[in-house]
Amino acid sequence: MSGTKEEDRKGSSDWREFFWNPRNHELLGRTASSWGLILLFYLVFYLCLAGMFALTMYIMLLTLDDYKPTWQDRLATPGMMIRPKGDQLEIVFSVSETESWDGFIHNLNTFLSPYNDSYQAQTNDNCPPDQYFIQEDSGEVRNNPKRSCQFNRTMLEECSGISDRFYGYNRGQPCILIKLNRVIGMLPGKDGQSPYVTCGAKREDSDKIGPLVYFPPNGTFNLMFYPYYGRKAQVNYTQPLVAVKFLNASLNTDINIECKINSNTIAPGNERDKFAGRVSFKLRINDK
């Protein structure tokens, strides 16, 4: 029994001596000079690592351009989106219940406010249609900020919210706005042919969609709005829109709709990406 206590005291003494040895003035088995050299080594080591990282980042930043991406790994087909979006790309409302579509009206009014004709006349140019608005830099001299072409709200006619402030929702003839995602440097057409939008119902709903009308006429994204030079270089750029008005869609039923871009330079969308060159959404108009 006494032997066990003696061993415990000896083990405890060994641990205390390892932590601090008063004879050799060692802390955790090292003298002050040894600890100092180790700390100095790691300090220099991590400072070198930090310096190498900072130098690498500095060299990488020298290769970047504030106005144009150095490397652009973009999809061959740009994405599309609709306004108003609704919940999960569903436009569901009741004609007789104002509160069911009032949010859509507010969403469209807010989205279209930068497209007001008066604002466009102040900030953007009246460009000739059906041709690209090319604004190249002159060598090292940048042509910035670049100008943009006017897309006036009145170009959307019945879907502008001007002649019909309810965008047709109060009559069961809703307007849906479609936009093509911005891609720097994209040229979406050739031989003067602008890309255009077509919409249709999925096969099982083909008899429900009824006639459609597009604004601007033929649902075109005119070439004068391209190429896009980036947010910083082209600060007043106004994205072109296409409006689709549903004139006589079936009531009280779900209609699955797909709109897609048609162009002689943009590749067809990939079946695995539902937003590449197209957008699918559900429309349901209830009469009560």
Side-chain angles (χ1 to χ4, degrees):
M1 192 73 178
S2 59
T4 303
K5 291 182 178 179
E6 187 70 27
E7 289 175 358
D8 291 342
R9 285 196 296 270
K10 184 177 180 182
S12 177
S13 176
D14 289 343
W15 275 108
R16 286 197 299 270
E17 187 171 312
F18 172 74
F19 182 77
W20 171 247
N21 188 333
R23 296 189 302 275
N24 300 325
H25 298 89
E26 293 178 349
L27 177 66
L28 297 177
R30 293 185 179 276
T31 62
S33 60
S34 178
W35 278 113
L37 290 173
I38 287 180
L39 293 175
L40 179 63
F41 168 79
Y42 280 109
L43 177 63
V44 173
F45 176 71
Y46 285 115
L47 284 176
C48 289
L49 287 181
M52 291 176 62
F53 176 77
L55 179 62
T56 303
M57 292 298 295
Y58 174 73
I59 294 173
M60 184 191 71
L61 291 173
L62 289 178
T63 67
L64 301 181
D65 193 316
D66 289 340
Y67 296 95
K68 183 179 179 181
T70 304
W71 307 105
Q72 188 172 353
D73 183 17
R74 66 175 176 85
L75 293 173
T77 307
M80 296 178 70
M81 187 48 66
I82 64 169
R83 291 292 188 276
K85 288 193 296 186
D87 296 330
Q88 299 179 350
L89 293 180
E90 295 181 358
I91 308 296
V92 180
F93 66 96
S94 176
V95 175
S96 60
E97 297 179 5
T98 306
E99 62 275 9
S100 69
W101 45 263
D102 188 62
F104 295 145
I105 305 306
H106 177 73
N107 184 294
L108 289 171
N109 284 334
T110 302
F111 179 74
L112 288 175
S113 60
Y115 292 86
N116 290 334
D117 291 23
S118 57
Y119 180 78
Q120 287 293 311
Q122 293 175 3
T123 58
N124 292 334
D125 294 0
N126 188 11
C127 303
D130 302 324
Q131 62 185 44
Y132 290 124
F133 190 24
I134 304 293
Q135 303 172 77
E136 297 293 350
D137 298 329
S138 300
E140 296 297 324
V141 180
R142 294 188 181 277
N143 180 21
N144 291 329
K146 301 183 187 298
R147 295 171 295 154
S148 301
C149 295
Q150 295 179 20
F151 188 97
N152 294 314
R153 188 169 178 170
T154 50
M155 295 170 67
L156 298 176
E157 301 183 36
E158 295 177 25
C159 292
S160 65
I162 298 174
S163 59
D164 177 8
R165 64 190 183 96
F166 297 126
Y167 300 91
Y169 283 80
N170 61 329
R171 300 192 307 275
Q173 297 180 332
C175 289
I176 306 293
L177 304 184
I178 300 173
K179 66 186 186 74
L180 194 64
N181 288 353
R182 303 180 186 188
V183 177
I184 293 177
M186 182 181 71
L187 301 175
K190 63 181 180 179
D191 301 327
Q193 298 182 22
S194 298
Y196 62 95
V197 172
T198 54
C199 296
K202 298 294 180 65
R203 182 176 303 175
E204 64 274 13
D205 298 327
S206 59
D207 58 337
K208 304 176 184 178
I209 191 171
L212 309 176
V213 61
Y214 299 90
F215 307 101
N218 302 318
T220 58
F221 293 112
N222 201 282
L223 295 180
M224 66 182 177
F225 298 105
Y226 302 96
Y228 172 58
Y229 289 97
R231 187 182 300 273
K232 193 168 183 179
Q234 205 169 5
V235 293
N236 292 322
Y237 180 76
T238 304
Q239 202 164 355
L241 304 172
V242 167
V244 184
K245 188 176 183 68
F246 296 82
L247 298 179
N248 191 26
S250 298
L251 302 178
N252 306 312
T253 185
D254 292 347
I255 308 175
N256 295 295
I257 299 168
E258 180 179 270
C259 297
K260 63 180 181 179
I261 189 70
N262 301 274
S263 168
N264 54 14
T265 61
I266 298 177
N270 191 315
E271 289 296 328
R272 290 179 291 183
D273 188 348
K274 64 180 181 179
F275 294 109
R278 60 187 174 178
V279 60
S280 299
F281 59 95
K282 183 178 80 173
L283 176 66
R284 183 184 179 94
I285 308 172
N286 299 316
D287 60 355
K288 294 182 180 180

